[in-house]
Amino acid sequence: MKKVISSALVGTLSLGIAFGVSAGPVEDQAAFQKYYENKFPDTPTADFANGVYSILPTAREQWEAIEEFPPYEIAIEAGEAFYNKTFANGKSLADCFGPDGAVRNQYPKWDSDRGMVVTMELAINECLTANGEKPLKYKKGKITEVTAYMSFNSRGQEVDVKIPSDDPRALAAYENGKEHFYTKRGQLNFACADCHMLTAGNLYRADTTSPGFGHGTHWPVYRSKWQSMGTLHRRFGGCHKNIRANPYKAQGEEYRNLEYFVTYMSNGLTFNGPGARK
Amino acid sequence: MRNGLKTIALGLALIAPVSFAGSGTTAEHIEAATAAYKKLAKESSYQWTTTVKAIKAAKKALEAGDDKGARKLAHQAMDLVEATRLQAKIESETWRMRVPK
């Protein structure tokens, strides 16, 4: 492991020489995706939507077996029931998101009226509260059932996050997420990019790290370690805790901007949630 | 791996200046570390779990009547805040190096 860290440090240094100043989102995205395509030449681009299994043939077989009887199936069914349940005012989530909720490719999106990133989870809660219902918790439980149902019905949609060029606040939110991804945090002094870019595919304790390309496609996830479903922001929090950084609030600005960046980097891949992971 | 990481953390902690001298009550020292932690989290969004742990442990030690132990933990928390501040500073200046071009 020591070796991993020192090679990460050396990697950082040589990257520093190779790479110059910043560019816009379009150039960022091309360079980001190319980085992984070069690093993992055996992985077809579309396959990065499958997380660590896109680069780990040994674990893939086991994962494919799990996917045959997916552990998130119950969540989809429960989500469907909740989705169609009528609120006290006679409406339902379908009044906000259409008959089947297949709106995954509309999120995360920039809301120029409010000047903020809106995620699918946030939009669900806003629909609930606008109709006099109680909001859901953001990391696990009911919210993952609703998003499992909606994501399942959205399978096959293309990731196509937009950063409107006519609103500098959108670019600022993107830049904020980008900075978060590349800055070292926590007492252990790791950046997301250290584990999910520079050393993607290396072993950290018992887990091989997935490429950052593909991180936004498959949520929510049933994770064996959790023995339950979780949202992307739950996972962000877990990675932060692992490096001894205080997790940020799920659906707070920090994580919404991070999701905006991460998902934008995966543009062109296909939404394939819900997912199953170790 | 553990050792490697500890070295990095220790390195950061050692660079951190000794934040305050011996004056004031231990409760005040804990208060100061808490305030510094919150201020930095607000300014930079950088925050470490270990700082929170040290602050909590300091409060607990003080309640248990261990003034010396509590004071030591409060100072440790303050050092961690300083190390976090240093990390935030270094990172804000260098992170762009890591972005592929």
Side-chain angles (χ1 to χ4, degrees):
Chain A
M1 185 69 208
K2 237 181 180 166
K3 218 166 141 198
V4 170
I5 291 169
S6 48
S7 64
L9 289 175
V10 172
T12 313
L13 291 178
S14 53
L15 281 174
I17 295 159
F19 303 151
V21 271
S22 68
V26 176
E27 294 80 16
D28 283 352
Q29 188 189 82
F32 184 94
Q33 299 189 355
K34 197 152 164 273
Y35 178 91
Y36 292 98
E37 286 162 358
N38 290 341
K39 191 173 171 81
F40 303 106
D42 295 338
T43 301
T45 301
D47 209 54
F48 282 108
N50 294 321
V52 74
Y53 309 110
S54 67
I55 58 163
L56 206 62
T58 45
R60 189 178 181 112
E61 254 175 64
Q62 207 186 351
W63 171 69
E64 280 173 351
I66 289 173
E67 283 281 348
E68 278 182 35
F69 303 96
Y72 48 73
E73 209 150 56
I74 306 166
I76 297 175
E77 279 167 28
E80 179 172 16
F82 189 84
Y83 191 84
N84 293 308
K85 207 175 86 180
T86 35
F87 303 147
N89 69 2
K91 297 198 168 178
S92 74
L93 283 171
D95 286 290
C96 295
F97 303 106
D100 57 0
V103 295
R104 189 52 265 215
N105 62 350
Q106 294 177 25
Y107 301 95
K109 75 169 166 208
W110 180 252
D111 179 335
S112 54
D113 290 338
R114 289 186 286 169
M116 62 186 276
V117 173
V118 176
T119 63
M120 193 160 89
E121 287 83 356
L122 193 76
I124 290 167
N125 264 354
E126 288 184 344
C127 175
L128 289 172
T129 49
N131 286 290
E133 299 290 309
K134 271 208 294 217
L136 305 173
K137 291 216 168 103
Y138 278 128
K139 286 193 286 199
K140 51 187 171 180
K142 207 76 234 141
I143 192 87
T144 62
E145 296 174 357
V146 185
T147 54
Y149 171 70
M150 292 169 73
S151 295
F152 185 72
N153 285 347
S154 308
R155 275 189 178 182
Q157 291 177 349
E158 191 182 319
V159 183
D160 185 20
V161 178
K162 294 186 175 68
I163 297 159
S165 53
D166 60 353
D167 191 341
R169 295 169 306 169
L171 187 64
Y174 164 85
E175 278 289 326
N176 178 235
K178 175 178 161 187
E179 178 170 349
H180 196 118
F181 189 82
Y182 290 106
T183 43
K184 292 177 187 288
R185 283 157 195 264
Q187 191 185 27
L188 300 190
N189 206 36
F190 273 102
C192 313
D194 287 336
C195 290
H196 292 293
M197 189 166 216
L198 271 178
T199 65
N202 284 24
L203 206 57
Y204 285 83
R205 302 222 176 109
D207 293 313
T208 305
T209 49
S210 53
F213 185 21
H215 267 179
T217 62
H218 57 288
W219 299 90
V221 148
Y222 181 91
R223 197 167 169 224
S224 317
K225 193 186 147 197
W226 292 335
Q227 291 282 305
S228 71
M229 306 281 296
T231 59
L232 175 61
H233 292 200
R234 181 180 182 190
R235 180 75 239 200
F236 284 168
C239 282
H240 272 136
K241 276 190 223 158
N242 285 344
I243 54 172
R244 300 189 193 155
N246 248 18
Y248 301 81
K249 222 174 113 195
Q251 297 301 329
E253 190 178 15
E254 197 79 27
Y255 278 171
R256 276 184 289 108
N257 290 349
L258 184 57
E259 176 174 344
Y260 196 42
F261 168 77
V262 163
T263 318
Y264 179 79
M265 285 298 110
S266 290
N267 271 6
L269 295 180
T270 299
F271 278 113
N272 58 348
R277 295 288 187 269
K278 196 174 115 190
Chain B
M1 135 126 189
R2 274 266 162 90
N3 285 340
L5 297 175
K6 270 193 188 137
T7 315
I8 297 172
L10 190 68
L12 284 172
L14 286 178
I15 308 169
V18 178
S19 329
F20 41 36
S23 63
T25 66
T26 300
E28 280 163 4
H29 285 215
I30 298 174
E31 193 70 21
T34 310
Y37 169 80
K38 285 190 180 153
K39 184 163 176 281
L40 181 64
K42 215 171 177 177
E43 283 168 6
S44 75
S45 92
Y46 284 64
Q47 35 190 350
W48 295 0
T49 50
T50 32
T51 317
V52 181
K53 275 188 190 148
I55 291 171
K56 277 191 185 149
K59 284 182 182 158
K60 229 173 146 186
L62 189 65
E63 271 166 30
D66 177 8
D67 192 82
K68 208 172 146 198
R71 187 170 282 241
K72 205 172 150 196
L73 283 160
H75 291 186
Q76 200 180 358
M78 194 57 120
D79 287 347
L80 288 168
V81 172
E82 287 308 324
T84 311
R85 188 189 308 283
L86 188 67
Q87 181 185 54
K89 184 172 184 302
I90 294 170
E91 288 308 301
S92 70
E93 287 162 6
T94 58
W95 69 270
R96 286 183 189 279
M97 291 188 341
R98 273 178 229 122
V99 183
K101 267 230 136 185

